[in-house]
DNA sequence: CATTCACACTAGCGCTTGCTTGGTTACTCA
DNA sequence: TGAGTAACCAAGCAAGCGCTAGTGTGAATG
């Protein structure tokens, strides 16, 4: 087994697993299906991962790491412009959501399948990401751009954004940036 | 087997199944777990339902039927007041969502486990419900209460509302009506 | 040249799954 | 009273599950 390995091979396997988890759901995806998709036999799978759980954790970790990095990069461009920060954060959210769609769908809808240990570890990553949001929203509230309870507002915005994976068609006429701008426009006081 | 049966017994079994599906997820809920929760043996379960799939369909059907009825009752009280209609619709949505929480969580997150036949049948129910929303939102747009693309606005609102099942605590200080009012306040032009 | 290593294979164990079968009990109603 | 039926049970089958043990191979390392 290959515990802490960041090889390209492992990354590719994780990508394939994410795709299958989205298609079938974690529980219905068997190790034999995973192996076939990866072009190996089911036994060989356990050379790369300790067990099926570890594959799930790896998928979710990758997605969340990427989201954090991109969000950071996006808002640090505008240290003192609340509206630009809000817009950049929403854009970054949708950008990662659809660039890395499979991993994020797994993170959003299969989180509960994580065992407690993995869940605890990954919760920190997610909390760090949500803290970024709360920060940006606090700025926007203080600047009078939006109004309402900071807790509820951030939950509503994240809900609206996350739910897009259920209906948004990347091949349609609208870009993720269009969506982000529309949402920001919808909630901003004029 | 007991195909089209609306007996109280069946209703109770469906309620118990919904609870387990939420706790464990559909795939991880075994027929033996269901039977034990129902106080019968696993074989007896198939006297009430053709197969496991039928239980899932029954759970989702119940929840969606209720939502439709309550939404109808709520908005027909205000035939010509766009703001009241919007608020009533949001309140009704959250009211059913938490009154009938288990069934709705299953409907939202286990829909994809339905086989194609059941999915086709239930899609009509869901579409009827969403049509109500589009109607109410069109009225609000025309009245100038909110602004934006009708399609996107309704998706964002439904996303924000549905996502509440992931974070809202019914034992906390806020009522579902508080949430609905806060959301409407957040998006309404002033 | 000998050893080690990553990576893959074959074979299958022990267990759980959804569902079936054949029969029993309790109740309703002519 | 006795026929019909809804509701249940005990037993188990066939298939599929995650995972393990033991082995082979070709490339890198000493």
């Amino acid at each position: 087994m290959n515990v802490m390995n960041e090889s390209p091979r492992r990354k590719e396997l994780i990508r394939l697993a994410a795709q299958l988890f989205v298609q079938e759901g974690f529980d219905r995806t068997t190790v034999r299906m995973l192996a076939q998709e990866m072009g190996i036999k089911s036994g060989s799978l356990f050379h790369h991962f300790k067990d099926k759980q570890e594959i799930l954790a790896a998928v979710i970790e990758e997605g969340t790491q990427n989201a954090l990095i991109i969000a950071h990069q996006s808002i640090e461009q505008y240290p003192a412009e609340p509206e630009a920060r809000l817009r950049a954060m929403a854009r970054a959210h949708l950008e990662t959501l659809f660039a890395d769609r499979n991993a994020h769908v797994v993170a959003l809808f299969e989180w509960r399948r994580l065992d407690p240990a993995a869940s605890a570890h990954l919760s920190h990553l997610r909390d760090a990401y949500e803290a970024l949001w709360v920060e940006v929203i606090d700025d926007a509230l203080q600047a009078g751009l939006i109004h309402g309870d900071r807790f509820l507002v951030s939950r509503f915005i994240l809900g609206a954004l996350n739910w897009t994976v259920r209906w948004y068609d990347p091949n349609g006429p609208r870009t993720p940036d269009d969506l982000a701008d529309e949402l920001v426009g919808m909630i901003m006081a004029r």
Side-chain angles (χ1 to χ4, degrees), chain A residues 138-151:
Chain A
D138 270 347
D139 293 349
L141 281 168
Q142 286 197 322
L145 290 175
I146 55 179
H147 29 69
D149 179 278
R150 63 199 285 266
F151 177 77

Side-chain angles (χ1 to χ4, degrees), chain A residues 10 42 75 148 157 179-180 188-189:
Chain A
R10 185 181 159 101
S42 71
I75 57 171
I157 292 179
L179 296 191
M188 264 190 13

Side-chain angles (χ1 to χ4, degrees), chain A residues 70-71 74-75 82-98 129 133 136-137 157-158 161-162 164 176-185 187:
Chain A
I70 292 193
S74 296
I75 57 171
E83 180 175 345
R85 283 166 72 82
L86 182 61
R87 200 175 297 270
M89 194 69 185
R91 284 182 174 215
H93 191 93
L94 291 182
E95 193 185 305
T96 8
L97 202 56
F98 293 107
Y129 182 74
W133 264 104
V136 168
I137 283 171
I157 292 179
L158 273 173
L161 289 175
N162 285 336
T164 56
D177 279 1
D178 290 343
L179 296 191
D181 292 345
E182 181 88 14
L183 179 66
V184 171
I187 59 174

Side-chain angles (χ1 to χ4, degrees), chain A residues 6-171:
Chain A
E6 286 303 315
S7 69
R9 174 75 173 142
R10 185 181 159 101
K11 278 215 165 184
E12 171 67 5
L13 298 184
I14 291 171
R15 208 186 53 81
L16 289 168
Q19 188 188 334
L20 264 179
F21 288 163
V22 169
Q23 252 173 56
E24 306 289 328
F26 176 72
D27 292 323
R28 285 169 111 89
T29 304
T30 70
V31 293
R32 284 171 241 268
M33 292 164 67
L34 286 165
Q36 188 172 32
E37 198 73 14
M38 295 168 178
I40 56 180
K41 300 292 175 180
S42 71
S44 313
L45 208 157
F46 296 91
H47 171 72
H48 299 278
F49 303 97
K50 180 170 130 279
D51 52 23
K52 201 185 162 193
Q53 269 286 327
E54 194 186 273
I55 309 178
L56 177 62
V59 167
I60 295 183
E61 175 150 20
E62 262 244 358
T64 314
Q65 289 277 20
N66 284 348
L68 239 173
I69 292 169
I70 292 193
H72 254 121
Q73 290 174 345
S74 296
I75 57 171
E76 72 187 8
Q77 298 181 256
Y78 312 99
E81 299 158 65
E83 180 175 345
R85 283 166 72 82
L86 182 61
R87 200 175 297 270
M89 194 69 185
R91 284 182 174 215
H93 191 93
L94 291 182
E95 193 185 305
T96 8
L97 202 56
F98 293 107
D100 221 0
R101 189 171 185 278
N102 289 334
H104 286 288
V105 170
V106 171
L108 289 175
F109 297 106
E110 308 284 355
W111 188 280
R112 298 182 37 229
R113 304 286 157 251
L114 286 170
D115 63 32
S119 173
H121 166 236
L122 293 171
S123 289
H124 289 118
L125 270 181
R126 198 193 46 185
D127 291 349
Y129 182 74
E130 292 196 359
L132 279 185
W133 264 104
V134 170
E135 193 189 303
V136 168
I137 283 171
D138 270 347
D139 293 349
L141 281 168
Q142 286 197 322
L145 290 175
I146 55 179
H147 29 69
D149 179 278
R150 63 199 285 266
F151 177 77
L152 291 183
V153 169
S154 58
R155 298 288 179 169
F156 284 146
I157 292 179
L158 273 173
L161 289 175
N162 285 336
W163 204 255
T164 56
V165 298
R166 286 296 187 77
W167 55 266
Y168 174 64
D169 171 18
N171 300 121

